[in-house]
C-alpha cells in the first residue's frame, strides 16, 4: 500500500527537501543527495514517514499520484537515474509499462557493460 503524500509541504519541509537536491547536471538531472534505500532511490523523511524523494517532488509539483500509476524515470526524457527528482524526467505510467521499461533498461545497461569489457580486452 502506498503512503499518501501531502501536496502542501510547509516552507520548512520544502527547504529541507531542496537542501538535499543538487543543481541540474549536464543531462538536466537534479540528483538527490540525501538518504537512499537499498534499491538506489532517494529517501526523505516527511511528517514522520520515510518516502521516496522522486514521489515527493512529483506530488509537490503535480499533485497526487493515482493509485493505478507508477512514476518512471524516463530515459527518453534524458534520465534513468533513480536519484533524479527532476519532475520533467518523470512520467506517470501503468505498472505494466514501468516493468517493461525496467526490463529494457536492464538489457541496455548489460549491453553497455559487455561492450566496455570487449573494448578493454
Amino acid at each position: 500500500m502506498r503512503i499518501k503524500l501531502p501536496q502542501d509541504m510547509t516552507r520548512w519541509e520544502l527547504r529541507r527537501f531542496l537542501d538535499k537536491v543538487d543543481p541540474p547536471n549536464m543531462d538536466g538531472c537534479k540528483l538527490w543527495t540525501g538518504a537512499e534505500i537499498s534499491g538506489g532511490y532517494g529517501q526523505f523523511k516527511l511528517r514522520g514517514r520515510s518516502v521516496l524523494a522522486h514521489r515527493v517532488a512529483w506530488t509537490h509539483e503535480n499533485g497526487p499520484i493515482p493509485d493505478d500509476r507508477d512514476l518512471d524515470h524516463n530515459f527518453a526524457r534524458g534520465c534513468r537515474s533513480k536519484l533524479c527528482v527532476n519532475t520533467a524526467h518523470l512520467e506517470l505510467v501503468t505498472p505494466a509499462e514501468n516493468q517493461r521499461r525496467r526490463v529494457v533498461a536492464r538489457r541496455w545497461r548489460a549491453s553497455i557493460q559487455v561492450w566496455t569489457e570487449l573494448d578493454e580486452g
Side-chain angles (χ1 to χ4, degrees), residues 40-61:
Y41 288 96
Q43 179 178 295
F44 183 64
K45 194 84 155 185
L46 183 62
R47 300 181 188 176
R49 293 183 154 172
S50 293
V51 293
L52 296 176
H54 67 291
R55 294 176 60 84
V56 172
W58 178 275
T59 302
H60 176 70
E61 287 192 19

Side-chain angles (χ1 to χ4, degrees), residues 23-87:
N25 63 19
M26 289 177 28
D27 296 324
C29 290
K30 297 177 183 177
L31 298 179
W32 179 253
T33 62
E36 295 177 35
I37 61 172
S38 61
Y41 288 96
Q43 179 178 295
F44 183 64
K45 194 84 155 185
L46 183 62
R47 300 181 188 176
R49 293 183 154 172
S50 293
V51 293
L52 296 176
H54 67 291
R55 294 176 60 84
V56 172
W58 178 275
T59 302
H60 176 70
E61 287 192 19
N62 300 296
I65 301 166
D67 288 336
D68 64 342
R69 294 288 183 255
D70 287 344
L71 269 182
D72 182 39
H73 290 87
N74 194 331
F75 185 73
R77 294 182 180 188
C79 183
R80 282 307 307 171
S81 174
K82 295 176 182 180
L83 293 175
C84 183
V85 295
N86 182 348
T87 57

